Amino acid sequence: MTANTESLNKPEALRSLKWEENALLMLDQRLLPEETVFLRLTTPEQVWEGIRELKVRGAPAIGISAAYGVVLGVLQFAGNTRELAAEAIKQAEYLATSRPTAVNLFWALDRMKARATALAAEGASTSEAIDALLEEAKRIHSEDEETNRLIGEHALTLFEDGMGVLTHCNAGGLATSKYGTALAPFYLALEEGIRLKVFADETRPVLQGARLTAFELQQAGVDVTLICDNMAGHVMSKGWVQAVIVGTDRVAANGDVANKIGTYGVAVLAKAHNIPFYVACPLSTIDLSTPTGDDIPIEERHPDEVSRGFGKRTAPEGVAIYNPAFDVTPNELVTAIITEKGIVRAPYSDSLKKLFSAE
Ligand SMILES: CSC[C@H]1O[C@H](OP(=O)(O)O)[C@H](O)[C@@H]1O
């Protein structure tokens, strides 16, 4: 379905999403860095398409979008609250089909479904329930910002003034509500006068590193150097990189990490150069119900992303193409996982569980 949306050119700061007048304003990240265009979405179908087509992308931003998508699906609902809860659950299950790997999508939708069910059980009126579901989506959105700041603070303890740090894909403000996960320490370092030199992998085939990470860090005044993915080993061999930090779409219970395709190769190179490999994520990206990386569904995307990126054909018609959007880095290559609750290290099957215990 083509979104029936109007483009709103707004000189907004780089926020991926905004709720305004019963609509979701979604920054169309496919157009960055050349155009800043906000799409005004008013239906769950438009949100579904926005997630599927990477108009919005990044695990937390996908979850936040989907939560608002549930709200858009029930805003005009006229039945009773029990029927409303059933409709909210139906919309959530539809939005859950947009992309398979980022667990934040399912985490956020589960939160919305649970809220809708609880509202029906509490005997709320339909209008009270709709307002409460919107409040829940807004809470998911606002909590993410504070979470990312905490991740940034913990991550910054691992970096020293003058360090070179390499990152892959985009785990910045554009992948979340603000700050990002892997990029959060770079923003806080700037605030605290700590000089970090960032190497951003361009991240083929969709170029989130070139189009988004280099763009948002440059806009913020962070010292960022864009490199092709195949240069990561070279800059490490030159001694220019003292740490790697990346985001993630799902961490399995044993600490295996699914992230943008190419991350596994960066982790192997980091190991070969004795460089620490850090993964930054909120607890909502840690999925204790997924035992290992082998159990994480890996999205395969359209071959045109590889052969006709941005409309220019760069491979022969009809050639076989394999286009997995993610890969899995085994936990043995992960030096530490940085969360809003602190930094955890191996053995991850124990340390990750402790993050969710009461204390
Ligand atoms: C903070 S989550 C960012 C995460 O999401 C990206 O994938 P995509 O752009 O396809 O949504 C990539 O894996 C990033 O590390």
Side-chain angles (χ1 to χ4, degrees):
M1 168 177 284
T2 306
N4 168 28
T5 59
E6 55 184 286
S7 292
L8 301 173
N9 261 306
K10 289 183 156 236
E12 296 278 39
L14 273 167
R15 291 300 187 102
S16 54
L17 299 160
K18 189 171 179 183
W19 180 264
E20 199 171 83
E21 295 163 15
N22 283 345
L24 177 62
L25 299 186
M26 181 183 283
L27 176 62
D28 187 343
Q29 298 190 30
R30 300 173 307 173
L31 305 177
L32 289 174
E34 288 179 313
E35 289 179 81
T36 301
V37 172
F38 283 85
L39 303 172
R40 189 170 187 278
L41 309 187
T42 55
T43 70
E45 291 75 14
Q46 290 166 349
V47 175
W48 189 98
E49 185 192 57
I51 294 171
R52 183 59 156 260
E53 301 304 319
L54 305 192
K55 296 175 187 176
V56 65
R57 31 63 51 202
I62 289 171
I64 296 164
S65 302
Y68 284 124
V70 172
V71 175
L72 291 172
V74 299
L75 265 186
Q76 310 303 331
F77 194 78
N80 64 40
T81 315
R82 195 175 35 76
E83 291 162 339
L84 174 82
E87 181 62 20
I89 289 167
K90 179 169 157 256
Q91 295 294 351
E93 284 163 1
Y94 160 68
L95 287 156
T97 65
S98 52
R99 292 184 78 188
T101 305
V103 71
N104 299 63
L105 172 63
F106 313 104
W107 169 84
L109 291 171
D110 285 348
R111 241 179 93 163
M112 297 301 286
K113 290 194 282 189
R115 188 77 184 102
T117 304
L119 287 160
E122 289 159 18
S125 70
T126 299
S127 63
E128 287 166 343
I130 291 171
D131 291 347
L133 283 172
L134 175 55
E135 283 316 305
E136 187 69 10
K138 286 181 175 178
R139 252 195 307 276
I140 291 170
H141 195 173
S142 59
E143 286 167 7
D144 183 66
E145 188 169 326
E146 176 53 21
T147 294
N148 296 339
R149 188 170 180 87
L150 291 170
I151 290 170
E153 287 169 7
H154 290 303
L156 196 51
T157 64
L158 299 168
F159 299 150
E160 288 165 20
D161 186 59
M163 275 176 86
V165 185
L166 183 139
T167 190
H168 190 76
C169 198
N170 173 261
L174 290 168
T176 65
S177 58
K178 187 181 180 187
Y179 291 119
T181 54
L183 300 194
F186 301 142
Y187 294 119
L188 297 189
L190 206 60
E191 287 177 12
E192 297 184 20
I194 298 169
R195 291 161 306 164
L196 297 177
K197 185 175 181 56
V198 181
F199 291 92
D201 282 355
E202 67 174 352
T203 316
R204 274 193 55 80
V206 181
L207 303 181
Q208 288 93 329
R211 296 187 304 107
L212 307 177
T213 294
F215 177 64
E216 68 170 90
L217 291 181
Q218 184 191 51
Q219 294 275 315
V222 173
D223 177 352
V224 57
T225 300
L226 175 62
I227 60 171
C228 298
D229 300 330
N230 53 14
M231 298 174 188
H234 176 68
V235 295
M236 289 181 189
S237 72
K238 303 290 263 185
W240 298 343
V241 176
Q242 284 72 49
V244 172
I245 188 167
V246 297
T248 173
D249 297 82
R250 190 181 309 216
V251 179
N254 70 343
D256 291 347
V257 168
N259 196 49
K260 183 53 51 200
I261 188 72
T263 302
Y264 171 52
V266 169
V268 170
L269 285 167
K271 184 80 176 177
H273 291 275
N274 200 26
I275 294 170
F277 179 86
Y278 300 123
V279 176
C281 71
L283 265 61
S284 52
T285 307
I286 298 168
D287 179 9
L288 298 183
S289 68
T290 295
T292 75
D294 291 339
D295 308 299
I296 299 175
I298 300 296
E299 177 185 11
E300 286 196 34
R301 292 187 62 84
H302 199 287
D304 278 3
E305 287 184 353
V306 175
S307 60
R308 291 187 67 244
F310 308 95
K312 173 93 178 81
R313 175 161 290 284
T314 53
E317 288 271 1
V319 68
I321 290 172
Y322 175 46
N323 183 23
F326 302 96
D327 59 23
V328 173
T329 297
N331 63 77
E332 299 82 13
L333 296 178
V334 178
T335 308
I337 298 175
I338 306 152
T339 76
E340 65 273 34
K341 280 199 168 178
I343 299 169
V344 294
R345 298 172 188 268
Y348 294 110
S349 45
D350 298 336
S351 59
L352 292 175
K353 224 176 281 173
K354 289 198 179 89
L355 286 171
F356 293 86
S357 57
E359 72 269 5

